[in-house]
Amino acid sequence: MRGRTRRLYEKALEEMSRKRPERFRRNVEAKKEMASEVKKILEGSRSFVIASAVGLPGQQFLEIKKKLESQGLMIRMIKGSVFLKAASELGLRGVDKLEPMLSNPSLFIFSDRHNVFELGSLIKSIKTYRKAKPGEKTDAEIVIPAGPTGIPPGPMISVFGRLKIPVQPRGSEIHVIRDTVVAKPGQEISPELASLLNKLGITPFIVRLNVLAGYENGIIVPGESLVLDIEGTREMLREAATRAMGLAVEIVVPDRYVLEAAIRRAYMRASTLTIELGIVTPENAPEILRRAYARALRVAAEIQKLVDLGVKIETPKPHEEKKEEKREEEKEEAGEEKKEVSEEELEQGLSALFG
């Protein structure tokens, strides 16, 4: 290298060496500015969630971002090193444990009013859709709906035929005759099907943010634990409370509400026992008479088989009598259970059990 080429090369090296410190200074200043912004966001946030940005299509990211911001959330793509520096300067507890998941591009979603579980559930409920790509495997059925396609008749009719989609030309466009499943879960998308789906404007693949973790007040919650089964938990607690109340009544915990339920149960059992033993009281007399009458009819019916009593005896059928008795028992049990598991009694009974 000599002459003019050498001079140009040396000039370029000189310019690069002159600009490198300047670029470095600009990068440092930009990082400081970003760290300062992150600190302000963290100071005004109650909780935040980290989601992976790896493999997230740009169009779908913008759609999700718009939906999140409409819910009053703030979403930022922040370098892990910048975030950790800002968080450590604020003295946030436990943020160093987030470092392993920040090696790849990450999204941070901040909220000033949601707790971390509310925020995680909200983020995971937001979804958008993207086009199918050849070679991808479906995670759900793909259906071509019946109706106009907007595609003019011609060579495309044969494409529908090869994909076994019933169509017919109507006017200036092809119509699908009935809803048709073109792909089942786990099936690979062919290039021809992917092209047709794109032409029809069908975007069958769901896109959600891949939530890595959530943070609130020094507590880090893994992404898979952020969504709670509220209804399932409520039902489980309701069942546990009912069983606890039943146990308290059975062992007669000395509490006002438990004792009231225990006395009612004892009364119902005593009433049933007096009826079985034939001990007559003003309350059970009608039931005892009904049972005695039914038994008398059965005895008379047996005697009628041997001796003509000269009267027509109609006895209740055994299964009808059992049904009647069962209905009476169910009514009693229903009344008993209804009283035993009222919310006020549950609350008071559980307080007596667990303090």
Side-chain angles (χ1 to χ4, degrees), residues 34-151:
M34 175 60 77
S36 177
E37 182 186 353
V38 172
K39 285 168 67 175
K40 288 180 182 177
I41 294 171
L42 285 171
E43 285 174 336
S45 299
R46 176 180 175 181
S47 63
F48 66 84
V49 160
I50 302 172
S52 174
V54 177
L56 181 63
Q59 179 63 35
Q60 281 66 41
F61 164 68
L62 293 176
E63 291 175 11
I64 290 174
K65 183 174 185 290
K66 185 177 180 181
K67 291 179 180 179
L68 288 172
E69 289 176 342
S70 70
Q71 297 288 334
L73 306 179
M74 184 181 295
I75 181 167
R76 292 285 188 275
M77 185 175 286
I78 306 170
K79 283 188 176 181
S81 58
V82 174
F83 171 80
L84 290 171
K85 178 176 174 59
S88 62
E89 287 178 1
L90 282 177
L92 296 185
R93 294 179 288 114
V95 290
D96 54 311
K97 296 177 183 177
L98 296 172
E99 186 173 359
M101 64 184 70
L102 298 179
S103 56
N104 293 317
S106 302
L107 298 170
F108 292 78
I109 301 98
F110 302 91
S111 175
D112 58 356
R113 56 194 176 91
H114 298 92
N115 67 46
V116 71
F117 293 103
E118 292 171 336
L119 180 57
S121 297
L122 179 57
I123 292 169
K124 289 196 174 185
S125 70
I126 291 176
K127 62 184 177 181
T128 184
Y129 298 87
R130 66 170 177 82
K131 296 178 180 179
K133 299 177 183 177
E136 284 186 307
K137 290 187 176 180
T138 64
D139 49 9
E141 276 189 350
I142 300 178
V143 178
I144 305 290
T149 63
I151 299 174

Side-chain angles (χ1 to χ4, degrees), residues 294 297-299 301 313-317 320:
L297 286 179
R298 285 199 297 272
V299 171
I313 300 172
E314 294 183 359
T315 59
K317 295 178 181 179
E320 290 179 353

Side-chain angles (χ1 to χ4, degrees), residues 58-301:
Q59 179 63 35
Q60 281 66 41
F61 164 68
L62 293 176
E63 291 175 11
I64 290 174
K65 183 174 185 290
K66 185 177 180 181
K67 291 179 180 179
L68 288 172
E69 289 176 342
S70 70
Q71 297 288 334
L73 306 179
M74 184 181 295
I75 181 167
R76 292 285 188 275
M77 185 175 286
I78 306 170
K79 283 188 176 181
S81 58
V82 174
F83 171 80
L84 290 171
K85 178 176 174 59
S88 62
E89 287 178 1
L90 282 177
L92 296 185
R93 294 179 288 114
V95 290
D96 54 311
K97 296 177 183 177
L98 296 172
E99 186 173 359
M101 64 184 70
L102 298 179
S103 56
N104 293 317
S106 302
L107 298 170
F108 292 78
I109 301 98
F110 302 91
S111 175
D112 58 356
R113 56 194 176 91
H114 298 92
N115 67 46
V116 71
F117 293 103
E118 292 171 336
L119 180 57
S121 297
L122 179 57
I123 292 169
K124 289 196 174 185
S125 70
I126 291 176
K127 62 184 177 181
T128 184
Y129 298 87
R130 66 170 177 82
K131 296 178 180 179
K133 299 177 183 177
E136 284 186 307
K137 290 187 176 180
T138 64
D139 49 9
E141 276 189 350
I142 300 178
V143 178
I144 305 290
T149 63
I151 299 174
M156 283 301 296
I157 289 182
S158 61
V159 174
F160 282 99
R162 286 194 294 273
L163 294 172
K164 298 180 180 179
I165 304 170
V167 296
Q168 59 181 211
R170 295 181 188 173
S172 61
E173 60 184 330
I174 298 172
H175 278 239
V176 177
I177 296 173
R178 59 176 176 275
D179 292 353
T180 306
V181 176
V182 292
K184 294 183 178 180
Q187 186 175 333
E188 191 173 294
I189 301 288
S190 67
E192 199 167 43
L193 178 57
S195 175
L196 178 61
L197 292 172
N198 291 340
K199 280 183 170 62
L200 295 173
I202 296 174
T203 51
F205 285 87
I206 297 173
V207 178
R208 286 189 176 92
L209 289 181
N210 177 20
V211 176
L212 303 177
Y215 179 94
E216 182 179 355
N217 196 27
I219 300 173
I220 297 172
V221 182
E224 61 273 11
S225 303
L226 278 175
V227 179
L228 302 178
D229 181 5
I230 302 298
E231 284 305 317
T233 304
R234 184 179 287 118
E235 183 59 34
M236 181 181 68
L237 291 174
R238 187 181 293 116
E239 183 180 353
T242 301
R243 291 185 177 183
M245 187 63 180
L247 175 62
V249 171
E250 197 64 41
I251 62 177
V252 194
V253 172
D255 172 81
R256 173 190 164 189
Y257 290 92
V258 175
L259 288 175
E260 286 179 1
I263 290 169
R264 281 196 299 271
R265 176 176 287 186
Y267 174 81
M268 298 298 292
R269 290 177 176 175
S271 178
T272 302
L273 182 60
T274 57
I275 291 171
E276 288 297 326
L277 296 176
I279 300 173
V280 180
T281 65
E283 292 81 7
N284 66 18
E287 178 62 19
I288 290 178
L289 290 174
R290 188 190 67 77
R291 294 191 182 191
Y293 177 72
R295 288 170 183 168
L297 286 179
R298 285 199 297 272
V299 171

